[in-house]
Amino acid sequence: SELTLSFVGYKTIKVPDLKLSDGVKLSIDVKMAPHVTSLAPITVTASRLNDWSSRYKKFRKIFLGTTPNAAKTEILNPEVLSFGDIESDTTRSKDFRARASGPLEVENRALGYHITVFLEDFQSIGPSYNIIMSTKFDTLASSSRLQSERWKKNRLDAYKGSQLHLFRSIANGIFEQEGFRILTISDDGASAIPSQLSDLVLDSART
């Protein structure tokens, strides 16, 4: 288990490899260092506000996705986000980076989760993006048994066919039983179905 400690104005601390046991109390002493950020003076104009709104719209689309579940998901405190240009010789005018002054609070009403997101870095570069973050999931309180059952079904539907489902099935050697078909492509363009996980790993390492 990993423990993440975050507080506005201080650097986030991660305590990895915690050993937890039932009935055993664990005490941890940590010292949080202030997070000092020097910012140049900013003049708020209509153009700057429009730029923030435009970048937030793209950030939200990448961060939450465009699925029906994403349509029922909201970032509750977008005001902690700030956006800036990416300095590079190859940077396009629409490339940008996002930072958060505190944890992002996200509510997914489709799956019944409140998610606390500790965003370390977000970069949108052309058609690609890079996100470094850690998350904490809490279950929302349901208003009825019917809603609880709906959330349970939606979570299972979202998991099936996902990257997490694929990676777990590969790790457990049951990707075919789980409905996945994996092909490896050699240098000459020919494809083949690996007979076992070791073949997949070796072929992937060679290509």
Side-chain angles (χ1 to χ4, degrees):
S1 299
E2 180 180 81
L3 176 65
T4 300
L5 304 172
S6 177
F7 193 78
V8 176
Y10 290 85
K11 294 181 180 179
T12 298
I13 296 177
K14 293 184 179 181
V15 184
D17 301 326
L18 286 178
K19 305 299 181 182
L20 303 177
S21 303
D22 292 339
V24 177
K25 293 184 178 180
L26 179 64
S27 297
I28 300 175
D29 294 325
V30 297
K31 183 177 180 180
M32 302 187 74
H35 181 64
V36 180
T37 303
S38 297
L39 299 175
I42 296 176
T43 301
V44 179
T45 64
S47 175
R48 184 176 292 276
L49 291 175
N50 289 337
D51 186 53
W52 186 95
S53 298
S54 175
R55 288 182 168 179
Y56 174 69
K57 184 177 181 180
K58 185 173 182 180
F59 170 87
R60 188 186 186 284
K61 182 178 180 180
I62 294 173
F63 194 72
L64 299 181
T66 57
T67 65
N69 287 341
K72 297 181 180 180
T73 303
E74 291 296 332
I75 299 175
L76 303 180
N77 57 339
E79 65 276 4
V80 305
L81 288 167
S82 60
F83 303 103
D85 296 329
I86 297 177
E87 297 181 3
S88 171
D89 294 338
T90 59
T91 297
R92 304 168 183 82
S93 61
K94 294 184 178 180
D95 296 345
F96 67 93
R97 163 177 272 142
R99 296 285 175 82
S101 61
L104 283 172
E105 304 297 340
V106 180
E107 190 170 273
N108 187 326
R109 298 299 302 178
L111 303 182
Y113 287 123
H114 180 97
I115 310 157
T116 303
V117 181
F118 303 93
L119 183 67
E120 297 183 27
D121 193 21
F122 174 99
Q123 297 183 42
S124 173
I125 305 175
S128 304
Y129 61 87
N130 180 54
I131 305 175
I132 302 175
M133 66 179 182
S134 56
T135 57
K136 174 179 175 289
F137 281 74
D138 292 302
T139 304
L140 295 175
S142 64
S143 59
S144 66
R145 182 178 178 180
L146 179 62
Q147 186 178 58
S148 296
E149 292 298 323
R150 185 181 299 115
W151 281 347
K152 183 178 179 180
K153 180 182 182 300
N154 289 347
R155 291 168 188 169
L156 183 60
D157 290 343
Y159 174 73
K160 288 182 177 179
S162 66
Q163 288 185 352
L164 180 59
H165 183 198
L166 171 62
F167 295 152
R168 283 180 174 172
S169 67
I170 292 175
N172 294 325
I174 57 172
F175 58 89
E176 289 183 330
Q177 296 92 312
E178 291 295 308
F180 293 104
R181 187 174 180 223
I182 300 177
L183 301 178
T184 60
I185 301 177
S186 60
D187 293 336
D188 60 4
S191 62
I193 302 176
S195 59
Q196 55 186 15
L197 184 60
S198 59
D199 292 341
L200 174 66
V201 173
L202 291 173
D203 288 343
S204 298
R206 287 195 292 263
T207 57

